[in-house]
């Protein structure tokens, strides 16, 4: 911000040169660039040169916050102040079999928190929340802001897709980054994620930053760097943000594919489902409840979350949300109402031993090949296809035993997916010596614990 | 080059990513990028991202040569093989009062060498050869290639401006670099200079890389780096290239301004003129004669050059060139035929002592303010205005003694130029302890001496 009465002239070329030379940009310069680009006053070729300079020179924390802020305010920011509940959302950096959002929105809402969740579609080997929701017949992710608000008021959670009004600068910048080799920058990724999430008008955010062979951040170091950046950026913008660094070295849960993942979501909401998925949902929900003021501590949040599941309240919230958003809620009691693949194919183990690793990105790609994901943005998705894993890392297998089932609609695609899936399993004589933890670490708990959580009622 | 039968697909995004990640690009990739950009197949925004990656990540020697080669072959390359003489040109990186080209073209031609010189205009604080030539009434720098060739055949030298057919990729890239903060890269500067010079169809090139307060390369380190890059790039492309690192910490000679510089050129060609200008012309000519096969050694080239001046042969060659290119050759004997400024103003010293330094860029800017240069490309130039320095670094001055004369046509401009000129002079009690040499060092003499010069007749 420039003080009133002071005139500063914004010149794109100066901003590019400064970033190129590693000089910190002011909030005025970053705001000017984002505003001028969004309105079309400066051309793509200047912004792409600037983006490349950002990729190679990085950004300071104040610059990252200024960029996030400028992108956030390039469009509408939802005003949910009329809702008495605290607004808390979660965001995952993406992985294979990651369906926690569908569990967490109703679960946190069942605890009295408002969850205004705006999600994306799958791209590449990772799935997307919108595609999973759309596997439920009738479910409408394209609500107007007024409809979104109404569902939130009635139900406490609502799940929709990006609207044209939210963070238009991010859409324009992302399209340019995609074709200029400037996607891979933690600063730009942080600003892109945080601007969209903070435009939801939330008070707090729980980030799930994935690391491992199926994540964008393959190394834990990169995941931690991005997580710290997002937590600090949120903090600078007056929001409570916490990040869980979680494992994506093998798929989460057992089911991959849109309708199959809805089945697993229902299982978890019924108190069953695979251990890793259930555990991650409870941990994330615990933080959402704690940050949302519904639980005194994270431990208390976890106990409460487990209770909301065992009592069936979380599942009922899920049912209510499906009904309010036009979805066929009968799928909860009759999963056959979900899209069904025409064929299945068993994958058996060629040898006895222990599963020592599952190349996670390959499993995601196998699902894309089946038609369950997108190679390009414009591709359509087959909700019925997917993969169910019967064996995960550390499990004992005997020769000839089924390790996975492929759900498919096209023979040729199934053959290619099978090959990829087969090669992703590594089976050795002995069990792996160490097991990767599900939650590697938590970033921001000290900040949140110290400065924010103590007096949640006073915030906002 | 890819071997016949091998298909490689060129994707701009891959080339951008590789350069971003510091991976060496192949000749195929660089050629593909330059070709696709010149023909408009890839957009500005991809190329500007790539340019920024080049600025920040640099280029290897083979990459720099491949870029130069691709830009060179984006347009016409003159074929001067019908001329029996060896073709040698010189190029300066630009400075203040640098009028050596106007001496060197006729001087080298008088020694039997062909000098097909294509030059540029002044921009910012530095002057341009074309502007100086156009101070001579009638002189036409816009010859067609056929006319250029004819003048060369008759006279041995010809001096023109850039044509649309030569290195169009450079023109397009330079315009983009200018607005995206990607001018300042030695690799891109090298490719820009060398592609245009080698398009002249020359056998050898003498580079004059300036360093000091009036040069683009302020530090000697940067000047040497660029010089080595250009020499090695020329060498890789089969040309003999030598670079003199010369001083531009104060203006070259005493006169700055287009018509005034022509006066000083005529003085040097008459065997007079200031010592530094005369010396640099002889040194540069010596190398041109040596590389052009007209002198066994550089020392012999220098002796011969001095003789061509004292005999009047170089001046006669200059006269012949003026006549062939439509210029009023009578200016040689009557400098009053050159454009004359309406007014002059003396600048006197406010104290006694010694000139310890002259901020050279400021002197150049003072000349631009008078109207003798351009702030923007589209500005026109007043050929008559300029500055004559009466005192240079190391000279003794007494209080009230004239140190410079301003030639001007507008009072207000003269006042501003005077202020700048005054502040550029630093006068101290004692003479500077050390004097910067005129020629700091020579780059490429070992390469040329060893591998090329020994058998000039076998080359090309």
């Amino acid at each position: 911000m420039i003080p009133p009465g002071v005139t500063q002239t914004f010149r794109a070329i100066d901003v590019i040169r400064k970033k190129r030379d590693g000089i910190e940009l002011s909030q005025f310069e970053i705001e000017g660039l984002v505003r001028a680009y969004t309105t079309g006053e400066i051309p793509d070729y200047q912004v792409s040169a600037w983006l490349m300079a950002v990729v190679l020179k990085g950004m300071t924390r104040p610059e990252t916050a200024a960029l996030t802020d400028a992108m956030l305010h390039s469009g509408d920011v939802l005003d949910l102040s009329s809702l008495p509940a605290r607004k808390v959302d979660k965001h995952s950096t993406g992985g294979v079999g990651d369906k926690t959002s569908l569990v967490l929105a109703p679960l946190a809402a069942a605890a009295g928190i408002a969850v205004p969740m705006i999600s994306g579609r799958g791209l590449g080997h990772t799935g997307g929340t919108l595609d999973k929701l759309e596997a439920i017949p009738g479910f409408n992710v394209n609500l107007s802001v007024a409809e979104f608000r109404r569902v939130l008021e009635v139900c406490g959670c609502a799940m929709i897709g990006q609207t044209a009004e939210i963070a238009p600068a991010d859409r324009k910048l992302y399209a340019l980054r995609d074709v200029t080799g400037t996607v891979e920058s933690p600063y730009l990724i942080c600003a892109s994620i945080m601007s969209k999430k903070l435009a939801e008008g939330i008070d707090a955010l729980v980030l799930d930053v994935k690391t491992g062979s199926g994540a964008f951040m393959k190394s834990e170091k990169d995941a931690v760097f991005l997580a710290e950046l997002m937590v600090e950026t949120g903090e600078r913008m007056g929001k409570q943000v916490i990040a869980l660094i979680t494992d994506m070295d093998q798929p989460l849960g057992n089911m991959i594919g849109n309708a199959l993942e809805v089945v697993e979501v229902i299982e978890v909401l019924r108190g069953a489902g695979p251990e890793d998925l259930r555990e991650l949902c409870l941990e994330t929900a615990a933080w959402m409840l704690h940050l949302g003021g519904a639980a005194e501590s994270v431990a208390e949040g976890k106990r409460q979350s487990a209770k909301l599941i065992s009592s069936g309240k979380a599942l009922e919230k899920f049912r209510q949300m499906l009904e309010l958003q036009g979805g066929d809620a009968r799928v909860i009691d009759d999963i056959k109402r979900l899209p069904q693949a025409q064929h299945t194919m068993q994958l058996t183990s060629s040898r006895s031993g222990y599963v020592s690793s599952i190349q996670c990105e390959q499993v995601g790609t196998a699902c894309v090949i089946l038609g369950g994901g997108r190679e390009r943005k414009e591709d359509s998705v087959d909700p019925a296809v997917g993969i169910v894993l019967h064996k995960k890392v550390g499990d004992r297998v005997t020769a000839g035993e089924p390790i996975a089932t492929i759900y498919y609609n096209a023979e040729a695609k199934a053959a290619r997916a099978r090959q990829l899936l087969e090669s992703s399993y590594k089976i050795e004589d002995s069990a792996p010596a160490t097991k990767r933890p599900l939650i590697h670490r938590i970033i921001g708990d000290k900040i949140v614990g110290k400065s924010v959580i103590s007096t949640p009622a006073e915030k906002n």
Side-chain angles (χ1 to χ4, degrees), chain A residues 236-261:
Chain A
R236 279 175 186 275
M237 298 176 76
K239 305 294 175 187
Q240 294 174 267
V241 182
I242 196 98
L244 313 181
I245 308 290
T246 76
D247 200 59
M248 190 42 73
D249 211 43
Q250 64 175 331
L252 184 66
N254 300 332
M255 300 190 180
I256 304 118
N258 297 299
L260 289 169
E261 294 193 40

PDB file of all heavy atoms in Angstrom, chain A residues 236-261:
ATOM      1  N   ARG A 236       0.668 -14.425   7.974  1.00  0.00           N
ATOM      2  CA  ARG A 236       0.838 -13.010   7.618  1.00  0.00           C
ATOM      3  C   ARG A 236      -0.491 -12.373   7.196  1.00  0.00           C
ATOM      4  O   ARG A 236      -0.662 -11.166   7.288  1.00  0.00           O
ATOM      5  CB  ARG A 236       1.817 -12.859   6.447  1.00  0.00           C
ATOM      6  CG  ARG A 236       3.255 -12.924   6.855  1.00  0.00           C
ATOM      7  CD  ARG A 236       4.186 -12.902   5.651  1.00  0.00           C
ATOM      8  NE  ARG A 236       5.551 -13.115   6.106  1.00  0.00           N
ATOM      9  CZ  ARG A 236       6.349 -12.150   6.556  1.00  0.00           C
ATOM     10  NH1 ARG A 236       5.934 -10.902   6.568  1.00  0.00           N
ATOM     11  NH2 ARG A 236       7.565 -12.428   6.975  1.00  0.00           N
ATOM     12  N   MET A 237      -1.397 -13.209   6.681  1.00  0.00           N
ATOM     13  CA  MET A 237      -2.672 -12.677   6.217  1.00  0.00           C
ATOM     14  C   MET A 237      -3.753 -12.827   7.289  1.00  0.00           C
ATOM     15  O   MET A 237      -4.946 -12.687   7.001  1.00  0.00           O
ATOM     16  CB  MET A 237      -3.053 -13.356   4.904  1.00  0.00           C
ATOM     17  CG  MET A 237      -2.012 -13.044   3.831  1.00  0.00           C
ATOM     18  SD  MET A 237      -2.299 -13.884   2.281  1.00  0.00           S
ATOM     19  CE  MET A 237      -3.656 -12.886   1.656  1.00  0.00           C
ATOM     20  N   GLY A 238      -3.325 -13.125   8.500  1.00  0.00           N
ATOM     21  CA  GLY A 238      -4.247 -13.125   9.636  1.00  0.00           C
ATOM     22  C   GLY A 238      -5.113 -14.363   9.749  1.00  0.00           C
ATOM     23  O   GLY A 238      -6.173 -14.327  10.375  1.00  0.00           O
ATOM     24  N   LYS A 239      -4.653 -15.464   9.135  1.00  0.00           N
ATOM     25  CA  LYS A 239      -5.441 -16.701   9.203  1.00  0.00           C
ATOM     26  C   LYS A 239      -4.665 -17.751   9.996  1.00  0.00           C
ATOM     27  O   LYS A 239      -3.436 -17.736  10.030  1.00  0.00           O
ATOM     28  CB  LYS A 239      -5.717 -17.251   7.797  1.00  0.00           C
ATOM     29  CG  LYS A 239      -6.380 -16.253   6.860  1.00  0.00           C
ATOM     30  CD  LYS A 239      -7.771 -15.890   7.307  1.00  0.00           C
ATOM     31  CE  LYS A 239      -8.360 -14.787   6.413  1.00  0.00           C
ATOM     32  NZ  LYS A 239      -9.645 -14.285   6.922  1.00  0.00           N
ATOM     33  N   GLN A 240      -5.406 -18.681  10.620  1.00  0.00           N
ATOM     34  CA  GLN A 240      -4.772 -19.809  11.296  1.00  0.00           C
ATOM     35  C   GLN A 240      -4.537 -20.903  10.267  1.00  0.00           C
ATOM     36  O   GLN A 240      -5.502 -21.403   9.678  1.00  0.00           O
ATOM     37  CB  GLN A 240      -5.694 -20.350  12.370  1.00  0.00           C
ATOM     38  CG  GLN A 240      -5.934 -19.392  13.515  1.00  0.00           C
ATOM     39  CD  GLN A 240      -6.972 -19.985  14.443  1.00  0.00           C
ATOM     40  OE1 GLN A 240      -8.159 -19.722  14.302  1.00  0.00           O
ATOM     41  NE2 GLN A 240      -6.539 -20.801  15.377  1.00  0.00           N
ATOM     42  N   VAL A 241      -3.298 -21.258  10.069  1.00  0.00           N
ATOM     43  CA  VAL A 241      -3.001 -22.292   9.069  1.00  0.00           C
ATOM     44  C   VAL A 241      -2.043 -23.314   9.672  1.00  0.00           C
ATOM     45  O   VAL A 241      -1.062 -22.958  10.334  1.00  0.00           O
ATOM     46  CB  VAL A 241      -2.372 -21.675   7.795  1.00  0.00           C
ATOM     47  CG1 VAL A 241      -2.117 -22.758   6.754  1.00  0.00           C
ATOM     48  CG2 VAL A 241      -3.266 -20.589   7.222  1.00  0.00           C
ATOM     49  N   ILE A 242      -2.363 -24.554   9.447  1.00  0.00           N
ATOM     50  CA  ILE A 242      -1.531 -25.651   9.934  1.00  0.00           C
ATOM     51  C   ILE A 242      -1.317 -26.591   8.747  1.00  0.00           C
ATOM     52  O   ILE A 242      -2.168 -26.678   7.870  1.00  0.00           O
ATOM     53  CB  ILE A 242      -2.269 -26.362  11.097  1.00  0.00           C
ATOM     54  CG1 ILE A 242      -1.320 -27.238  11.880  1.00  0.00           C
ATOM     55  CG2 ILE A 242      -3.436 -27.177  10.620  1.00  0.00           C
ATOM     56  CD1 ILE A 242      -0.850 -26.529  13.090  1.00  0.00           C
ATOM     57  N   ALA A 243      -0.164 -27.230   8.704  1.00  0.00           N
ATOM     58  CA  ALA A 243       0.079 -28.171   7.604  1.00  0.00           C
ATOM     59  C   ALA A 243       0.540 -29.512   8.138  1.00  0.00           C
ATOM     60  O   ALA A 243       1.451 -29.579   8.962  1.00  0.00           O
ATOM     61  CB  ALA A 243       1.119 -27.599   6.646  1.00  0.00           C
ATOM     62  N   LEU A 244      -0.108 -30.575   7.664  1.00  0.00           N
ATOM     63  CA  LEU A 244       0.358 -31.926   7.952  1.00  0.00           C
ATOM     64  C   LEU A 244       1.178 -32.385   6.752  1.00  0.00           C
ATOM     65  O   LEU A 244       0.716 -32.262   5.616  1.00  0.00           O
ATOM     66  CB  LEU A 244      -0.819 -32.889   8.146  1.00  0.00           C
ATOM     67  CG  LEU A 244      -1.972 -32.450   9.057  1.00  0.00           C
ATOM     68  CD1 LEU A 244      -3.026 -33.552   9.130  1.00  0.00           C
ATOM     69  CD2 LEU A 244      -1.461 -32.122  10.454  1.00  0.00           C
ATOM     70  N   ILE A 245       2.378 -32.854   7.013  1.00  0.00           N
ATOM     71  CA  ILE A 245       3.159 -33.470   5.936  1.00  0.00           C
ATOM     72  C   ILE A 245       2.807 -34.945   5.984  1.00  0.00           C
ATOM     73  O   ILE A 245       3.112 -35.629   6.968  1.00  0.00           O
ATOM     74  CB  ILE A 245       4.676 -33.282   6.155  1.00  0.00           C
ATOM     75  CG1 ILE A 245       5.038 -31.813   6.406  1.00  0.00           C
ATOM     76  CG2 ILE A 245       5.459 -33.876   4.978  1.00  0.00           C
ATOM     77  CD1 ILE A 245       4.916 -30.902   5.230  1.00  0.00           C
ATOM     78  N   THR A 246       2.130 -35.434   4.936  1.00  0.00           N
ATOM     79  CA  THR A 246       1.645 -36.819   5.008  1.00  0.00           C
ATOM     80  C   THR A 246       2.166 -37.663   3.849  1.00  0.00           C
ATOM     81  O   THR A 246       2.561 -37.147   2.813  1.00  0.00           O
ATOM     82  CB  THR A 246       0.098 -36.882   5.045  1.00  0.00           C
ATOM     83  OG1 THR A 246      -0.409 -36.626   3.737  1.00  0.00           O
ATOM     84  CG2 THR A 246      -0.473 -35.877   6.034  1.00  0.00           C
ATOM     85  N   ASP A 247       2.132 -38.957   4.085  1.00  0.00           N
ATOM     86  CA  ASP A 247       2.780 -39.877   3.163  1.00  0.00           C
ATOM     87  C   ASP A 247       1.972 -40.130   1.894  1.00  0.00           C
ATOM     88  O   ASP A 247       0.765 -40.423   1.953  1.00  0.00           O
ATOM     89  CB  ASP A 247       3.041 -41.214   3.860  1.00  0.00           C
ATOM     90  CG  ASP A 247       4.118 -41.980   3.131  1.00  0.00           C
ATOM     91  OD1 ASP A 247       5.241 -41.432   3.011  1.00  0.00           O
ATOM     92  OD2 ASP A 247       3.838 -43.093   2.646  1.00  0.00           O
ATOM     93  N   MET A 248       2.623 -40.021   0.754  1.00  0.00           N
ATOM     94  CA  MET A 248       2.013 -40.379  -0.527  1.00  0.00           C
ATOM     95  C   MET A 248       3.017 -41.220  -1.308  1.00  0.00           C
ATOM     96  O   MET A 248       3.201 -41.040  -2.499  1.00  0.00           O
ATOM     97  CB  MET A 248       1.591 -39.098  -1.272  1.00  0.00           C
ATOM     98  CG  MET A 248       0.720 -39.267  -2.508  1.00  0.00           C
ATOM     99  SD  MET A 248      -0.616 -40.462  -2.436  1.00  0.00           S
ATOM    100  CE  MET A 248      -1.798 -39.659  -1.367  1.00  0.00           C
ATOM    101  N   ASP A 249       3.676 -42.139  -0.585  1.00  0.00           N
ATOM    102  CA  ASP A 249       4.633 -43.025  -1.237  1.00  0.00           C
ATOM    103  C   ASP A 249       3.931 -44.281  -1.745  1.00  0.00           C
ATOM    104  O   ASP A 249       4.480 -45.050  -2.526  1.00  0.00           O
ATOM    105  CB  ASP A 249       5.765 -43.384  -0.267  1.00  0.00           C
ATOM    106  CG  ASP A 249       7.066 -43.623  -1.006  1.00  0.00           C
ATOM    107  OD1 ASP A 249       7.371 -42.830  -1.921  1.00  0.00           O
ATOM    108  OD2 ASP A 249       7.783 -44.586  -0.680  1.00  0.00           O
ATOM    109  N   GLN A 250       2.686 -44.488  -1.267  1.00  0.00           N
ATOM    110  CA  GLN A 250       1.795 -45.499  -1.823  1.00  0.00           C
ATOM    111  C   GLN A 250       0.391 -44.870  -1.780  1.00  0.00           C
ATOM    112  O   GLN A 250       0.191 -43.866  -1.102  1.00  0.00           O
ATOM    113  CB  GLN A 250       1.846 -46.812  -1.026  1.00  0.00           C
ATOM    114  CG  GLN A 250       1.364 -46.692   0.406  1.00  0.00           C
ATOM    115  CD  GLN A 250       1.322 -48.047   1.125  1.00  0.00           C
ATOM    116  OE1 GLN A 250       1.136 -49.088   0.492  1.00  0.00           O
ATOM    117  NE2 GLN A 250       1.479 -48.010   2.430  1.00  0.00           N
ATOM    118  N   PRO A 251      -0.566 -45.396  -2.550  1.00  0.00           N
ATOM    119  CA  PRO A 251      -1.896 -44.769  -2.558  1.00  0.00           C
ATOM    120  C   PRO A 251      -2.502 -44.744  -1.148  1.00  0.00           C
ATOM    121  O   PRO A 251      -2.189 -45.586  -0.303  1.00  0.00           O
ATOM    122  CB  PRO A 251      -2.699 -45.666  -3.499  1.00  0.00           C
ATOM    123  CG  PRO A 251      -1.674 -46.265  -4.411  1.00  0.00           C
ATOM    124  CD  PRO A 251      -0.478 -46.498  -3.537  1.00  0.00           C
ATOM    125  N   LEU A 252      -3.365 -43.777  -0.933  1.00  0.00           N
ATOM    126  CA  LEU A 252      -4.057 -43.657   0.356  1.00  0.00           C
ATOM    127  C   LEU A 252      -5.325 -44.519   0.306  1.00  0.00           C
ATOM    128  O   LEU A 252      -6.130 -44.384  -0.619  1.00  0.00           O
ATOM    129  CB  LEU A 252      -4.399 -42.192   0.611  1.00  0.00           C
ATOM    130  CG  LEU A 252      -5.050 -41.877   1.964  1.00  0.00           C
ATOM    131  CD1 LEU A 252      -4.085 -42.130   3.117  1.00  0.00           C
ATOM    132  CD2 LEU A 252      -5.538 -40.425   2.005  1.00  0.00           C
ATOM    133  N   GLY A 253      -5.504 -45.368   1.286  1.00  0.00           N
ATOM    134  CA  GLY A 253      -6.632 -46.297   1.265  1.00  0.00           C
ATOM    135  C   GLY A 253      -6.381 -47.382   0.236  1.00  0.00           C
ATOM    136  O   GLY A 253      -5.260 -47.559  -0.248  1.00  0.00           O
ATOM    137  N   ASN A 254      -7.446 -48.099  -0.135  1.00  0.00           N
ATOM    138  CA  ASN A 254      -7.287 -49.209  -1.079  1.00  0.00           C
ATOM    139  C   ASN A 254      -7.905 -48.930  -2.443  1.00  0.00           C
ATOM    140  O   ASN A 254      -7.641 -49.637  -3.400  1.00  0.00           O
ATOM    141  CB  ASN A 254      -7.938 -50.477  -0.508  1.00  0.00           C
ATOM    142  CG  ASN A 254      -7.306 -50.881   0.808  1.00  0.00           C
ATOM    143  OD1 ASN A 254      -6.118 -50.584   1.053  1.00  0.00           O
ATOM    144  ND2 ASN A 254      -8.082 -51.523   1.674  1.00  0.00           N
ATOM    145  N   MET A 255      -8.777 -47.938  -2.511  1.00  0.00           N
ATOM    146  CA  MET A 255      -9.518 -47.734  -3.752  1.00  0.00           C
ATOM    147  C   MET A 255      -9.072 -46.469  -4.477  1.00  0.00           C
ATOM    148  O   MET A 255      -8.894 -45.421  -3.851  1.00  0.00           O
ATOM    149  CB  MET A 255     -11.010 -47.661  -3.447  1.00  0.00           C
ATOM    150  CG  MET A 255     -11.516 -48.955  -2.779  1.00  0.00           C
ATOM    151  SD  MET A 255     -13.314 -48.995  -2.665  1.00  0.00           S
ATOM    152  CE  MET A 255     -13.543 -50.591  -1.858  1.00  0.00           C
ATOM    153  N   ILE A 256      -8.904 -46.612  -5.820  1.00  0.00           N
ATOM    154  CA  ILE A 256      -8.513 -45.498  -6.675  1.00  0.00           C
ATOM    155  C   ILE A 256      -9.475 -45.498  -7.852  1.00  0.00           C
ATOM    156  O   ILE A 256      -9.689 -46.548  -8.480  1.00  0.00           O
ATOM    157  CB  ILE A 256      -7.066 -45.657  -7.185  1.00  0.00           C
ATOM    158  CG1 ILE A 256      -6.104 -45.804  -5.984  1.00  0.00           C
ATOM    159  CG2 ILE A 256      -6.639 -44.476  -8.047  1.00  0.00           C
ATOM    160  CD1 ILE A 256      -5.360 -47.102  -5.948  1.00  0.00           C
ATOM    161  N   GLY A 257     -10.034 -44.341  -8.167  1.00  0.00           N
ATOM    162  CA  GLY A 257     -11.073 -44.255  -9.198  1.00  0.00           C
ATOM    163  C   GLY A 257     -12.271 -43.577  -8.553  1.00  0.00           C
ATOM    164  O   GLY A 257     -12.534 -43.771  -7.362  1.00  0.00           O
ATOM    165  N   ASN A 258     -13.025 -42.807  -9.311  1.00  0.00           N
ATOM    166  CA  ASN A 258     -13.969 -41.869  -8.712  1.00  0.00           C
ATOM    167  C   ASN A 258     -15.109 -42.536  -7.930  1.00  0.00           C
ATOM    168  O   ASN A 258     -15.302 -42.259  -6.749  1.00  0.00           O
ATOM    169  CB  ASN A 258     -14.475 -40.914  -9.787  1.00  0.00           C
ATOM    170  CG  ASN A 258     -13.315 -40.089 -10.337  1.00  0.00           C
ATOM    171  OD1 ASN A 258     -12.683 -39.355  -9.582  1.00  0.00           O
ATOM    172  ND2 ASN A 258     -13.011 -40.240 -11.616  1.00  0.00           N
ATOM    173  N   ALA A 259     -15.868 -43.450  -8.570  1.00  0.00           N
ATOM    174  CA  ALA A 259     -16.970 -44.102  -7.854  1.00  0.00           C
ATOM    175  C   ALA A 259     -16.431 -44.988  -6.738  1.00  0.00           C
ATOM    176  O   ALA A 259     -16.978 -45.031  -5.633  1.00  0.00           O
ATOM    177  CB  ALA A 259     -17.819 -44.917  -8.829  1.00  0.00           C
ATOM    178  N   LEU A 260     -15.315 -45.689  -7.014  1.00  0.00           N
ATOM    179  CA  LEU A 260     -14.726 -46.569  -5.995  1.00  0.00           C
ATOM    180  C   LEU A 260     -14.323 -45.759  -4.763  1.00  0.00           C
ATOM    181  O   LEU A 260     -14.479 -46.215  -3.632  1.00  0.00           O
ATOM    182  CB  LEU A 260     -13.499 -47.288  -6.571  1.00  0.00           C
ATOM    183  CG  LEU A 260     -13.790 -48.370  -7.622  1.00  0.00           C
ATOM    184  CD1 LEU A 260     -12.493 -48.815  -8.321  1.00  0.00           C
ATOM    185  CD2 LEU A 260     -14.477 -49.583  -6.982  1.00  0.00           C
ATOM    186  N   GLU A 261     -13.820 -44.562  -4.981  1.00  0.00           N
ATOM    187  CA  GLU A 261     -13.393 -43.753  -3.843  1.00  0.00           C
ATOM    188  C   GLU A 261     -14.582 -43.275  -3.010  1.00  0.00           C
ATOM    189  O   GLU A 261     -14.484 -43.135  -1.795  1.00  0.00           O
ATOM    190  CB  GLU A 261     -12.518 -42.586  -4.314  1.00  0.00           C
ATOM    191  CG  GLU A 261     -11.199 -43.104  -4.909  1.00  0.00           C
ATOM    192  CD  GLU A 261     -10.128 -42.052  -5.116  1.00  0.00           C
ATOM    193  OE1 GLU A 261      -9.985 -41.169  -4.248  1.00  0.00           O
ATOM    194  OE2 GLU A 261      -9.441 -42.118  -6.155  1.00  0.00           O
TER     195      GLU A 261
END
